[in-house]
Amino acid sequence: MTQNKMKYSIALNVKNLHKSFGNKTVHRGVSFELRSGEILGLFGGSGTGKSVILRSIIGLEKPDRGEIIFDDRNIVGLNESQLIQVRTQIGYVFQNGALFDSLSVEENLAYPLKEHTTLNAREIKLRVNQMLDLIDMTGTNALFPNELSGGMQKRAGLARATILDPKIILFDEPTAGLDPVNTKRLLDNIKNLKKSGITGIFVTHDIPSAFEIADRIAILYQGAIYVIDSVENIKQSEDPLVKSFVSDSIH
Ligand SMILES: Nc1ncnc2c1ncn2[C@@H]1O[C@H](COP(=O)(O)OP(=O)(O)OP(=O)(O)O)[C@@H](O)[C@H]1O
Ligand SMILES: [Mg+2]
């Protein structure tokens, strides 16, 4: 066991998170490690606090107790300007793509580069076009979000979240609402990113997609991580709760 532990480095260490909203307790001690280079699938019933975990990791939500260690710092307790820096290194793919409606595809993708890099206009355009090629959206520069299909919006959201080469990407139900063709495209895009060494958390109710893309799976249940294990072990688990997740596609 100890030997295995030496084989990987930890990209993110979530330790004992507690969170309540009013008298509703959501997290009662959530702990897990995200290993460098892995994609961790995160399952859990609706309302169990998966999105709150992701939002806490980029400092949009403050846990009542616990730590989130990234780059030797505890994200919990950082101030806004420190968090802005963290957010350049942790990309967030929101459920709906979260593009700026009044900006074109090119302007949406260029936005993080203009805000956080010293690249000039020509370099920015080059990088945006590279990214559009990668997500099969070559030539869509001038289109506005309302002119894109749902699948394209999600892929553009993915592109914008990854254009600064973050160390970690957080995916919140990236395949929700997509048909099989668009789901496959998005998964292929993520697989390409994975080849370039991306680390990520993939929150989803889409179990088959998670099995395809993830290295390990964690299940959030009653405010804590019930199990975290390899995809193979999760698929073969005899635990009734794990089995219920694996056999159903919707929770
Ligand atoms: N800002 C907030 N104020 C009050 N309650 C909140 C807030 N954010 C989340 N909650 C509550 O916390 C619980 C967990 O929410 P969360 O969005 O993390 O669930 P989830 O696991 O992502 O669910 P889903 O799978 O449906 O997206 C829910 O009961 C939700 O109503
Ligand atoms: Mg959610």
Side-chain angles (χ1 to χ4, degrees), residues 14-61:
V14 175
K15 292 184 185 172
N16 201 24
L17 295 188
H18 286 69
K19 179 71 180 176
S20 297
F21 294 100
N23 58 15
K24 186 183 163 59
T25 300
V26 179
H27 297 150
R28 304 165 189 269
V30 172
S31 300
F32 64 91
E33 290 174 348
L34 179 66
R35 300 173 181 169
S36 296
E38 81 170 340
I39 293 189
L40 178 68
L42 179 58
F43 299 166
S46 191
T48 49
K50 303 179 299 297
S51 296
V52 172
I53 292 176
L54 298 191
R55 290 167 55 79
S56 302
I57 292 171
I58 54 166
L60 288 177
E61 208 76 72

Side-chain angles (χ1 to χ4, degrees), residues 6 19 21 70 92 120 143 164-165 169 175 240:
M6 304 302 286
K19 179 71 180 176
F21 294 100
F70 170 66
Y92 197 132
N120 65 33
L143 296 181
L164 292 174
D165 286 329
I169 309 186
T175 61

Side-chain angles (χ1 to χ4, degrees), residues 52-155:
V52 172
I53 292 176
L54 298 191
R55 290 167 55 79
S56 302
I57 292 171
I58 54 166
L60 288 177
E61 208 76 72
K62 289 268 175 260
D64 302 326
R65 187 142 65 88
E67 295 181 353
I68 300 171
I69 309 297
F70 170 66
D71 249 1
D72 297 327
R73 286 202 299 185
N74 182 7
I75 288 172
V76 180
L78 294 185
N79 64 33
E80 265 311 306
S81 65
Q82 291 167 321
L83 284 173
I84 285 170
Q85 202 220 332
V86 166
R87 289 177 198 139
T88 64
Q89 296 178 68
I90 303 182
Y92 197 132
V93 182
F94 291 88
Q95 201 172 334
N96 55 5
L99 299 171
F100 300 119
D101 290 335
S102 58
L103 300 183
S104 68
V105 167
E106 177 168 327
E107 289 163 342
N108 261 287
L109 266 58
Y111 189 85
L113 298 172
K114 283 184 186 157
E115 287 288 302
H116 298 293
T117 73
T118 53
L119 297 181
N120 65 33
R122 197 183 56 83
E123 291 163 333
I124 287 177
K125 184 145 188 122
L126 206 64
R127 179 83 179 111
V128 167
N129 284 338
Q130 268 175 355
M131 213 61 195
L132 288 176
D133 291 345
L134 196 71
I135 58 164
D136 312 315
M137 283 180 60
T138 309
T140 58
N141 303 53
L143 296 181
F144 283 83
N146 66 4
E147 297 173 296
L148 303 175
S149 70
M152 287 167 127
Q153 287 184 23
K154 292 222 177 200
R155 300 208 302 283

Side-chain angles (χ1 to χ4, degrees), residues 130-202:
Q130 268 175 355
M131 213 61 195
L132 288 176
D133 291 345
L134 196 71
I135 58 164
D136 312 315
M137 283 180 60
T138 309
T140 58
N141 303 53
L143 296 181
F144 283 83
N146 66 4
E147 297 173 296
L148 303 175
S149 70
M152 287 167 127
Q153 287 184 23
K154 292 222 177 200
R155 300 208 302 283
L158 174 68
R160 198 182 59 184
T162 52
I163 204 156
L164 292 174
D165 286 329
K167 291 185 180 154
I168 297 175
I169 309 186
L170 309 175
F171 300 95
D172 202 348
E173 303 193 28
T175 61
L178 294 186
D179 62 28
V181 173
N182 277 303
T183 296
K184 185 176 180 313
R185 274 195 183 155
L186 189 88
L187 292 181
D188 286 345
N189 290 164
I190 298 173
K191 281 181 191 162
N192 283 337
L193 288 168
K194 212 183 153 194
K195 280 184 206 144
S196 61
I198 200 80
T199 299
I201 302 178
F202 188 94

